[in-house]
Amino acid sequence: MSLIEITDVRKSFGPNEVLKGINLDVEPGEVIAIIGKSGSGKSTLLRCINGLETISDGSISVAGAQLLDDEAHLKALRLKVGMIFQQFNLFPHLTAGGNVMLSQMVVKKTPKPEAEEMARKMLERVGLDHKFDAYPDELSGGQQQRVAIARALAMQPIALLCDEITSALDPELVAEVLAVVRELAAEGMTLLMVTHEMRFARDVCSRVVFMHQGRVHEIGPPEEVFANPQTPELKQFLGVH
Amino acid sequence: MNYQFEFGWLFEYYPQIVKGIAITIQLIAVGAVAGISLGIVCAWVRALGPAWAKPVVAAYVELIRNTPFLIQLFFIFFGLPSLGLQLSELQAANLAMVVNLGAYSSEIIRAGIQATPKGQFEAGSSLAMTPFEIFRHVVLVPSLQRIWPALSSQVVIVMLGSAVVSQIAAEDLTFAANFIQSRTFRAFEAYMVSTAVYLLLAILLRQVLGMVGWLIFPRRAAR
Ligand SMILES: Nc1ncnc2c1ncn2[C@@H]1O[C@H](COP(=O)(O)OP(=O)(O)O)[C@@H](O)[C@H]1O
Ligand SMILES: [Mg+2]
């Protein structure tokens, strides 16, 4: 049994079918890069896995638990799967430490001292233990994104979904965030990431998924997908002829 | 002009004035705390709450915002006893203030909630928080911060509007001024003193609200 099983997933917004039958099984510890043109449904797929969108058809399960659209099931799923967003989405009224502590205390009812200990550990993991008391608006974009990663990690998820997490960053800040992700991958975290960082995908990922018009158009290990694209759409996307 | 100013009565009547000030302060304290709390609940219902409750709250808000405060006060004090709800002058005045500020503040707070970036809700959801937990821990404080200046102004407006509770003989500052004026016939002086006190109270209230804001909003959360 795979860690994440996505079976015949369809998703429509009104008459617009955005996901047209996605099948994808992710094994524990896999790092999967999702690439494709803007509008091909990459974000929607991640959002469905985390229950931010309800799927129109098909099924998704994470570690054997079915994704169902009721509060108890959603909560169970979201405790297993963390998500990092392009825009960081830190809580502006809380410090970095407060951001990492909040959901532990609210959702898991972790006592404050333990939540704080965990927060310090997670901030250290992303190299920001010295920023525990800083507010988001005192941090650079790269630092904010690393806090967001620490915040997701503090819930001890078994997989992380990353939606273009370096796209909103100035070029010189991309590397520090990717370094954190690279480390997570090395530690065996299961990762599904939508990314435009092809070098990173090639170096770190176990498989690359090329999405096109709501379908998985090509899938395979990075050496194959990048070196030997099969379809004209992927060739065009990669700029090889 | 040969009007002789005469403030000697101040010594005789200062207990009335002090009592009036105390009651006005009490009215605004209860009105602000309970009114804003009611406003938060109503704003939550209208922005994020269950569909069935929205029209109920909308009706309440529109009713209060489109009728005079004096009539609301009379209705509570003179009207409700017919339904078996007999309130003292002060209770009626307090209730009217809470109901009035509740409606106005709910509209202001709702605007703050609706300006919350979608990403804040999604971040909360992805951390397995329930919609209510997200509202309580993620959305509420930055929303209040966004509209705190407008809300503070509304509280001051309602404090000044509290003068009309003297119409049901709640013994607030205006009641004291009326009382003194009718005893001493020193209208100019009596209303001059009460004007000065209202002005001072308003300035003080703004300071207090500013300080409360400074305490509950450690950071510029609006963005
Ligand atoms: N909430 C929504 N309502 C309506 N259409 C949406 C919504 N979210 C995404 N879409 C549409 O779904 C398609 C895929 O979007 P998305 O998954 O964001 O693509 P990608 O992340 O690959 O750029 C786009 O055509 C977009 O307009
Ligand atoms: Mg996208």
Side-chain angles (χ1 to χ4, degrees), chain A residues 13 16 18 37-44 53:
Chain A
F13 293 104
N16 181 16
V18 173
K37 278 196 304 199
S38 171
S40 55
K42 308 182 295 295
S43 296
T44 304
E53 307 284 358

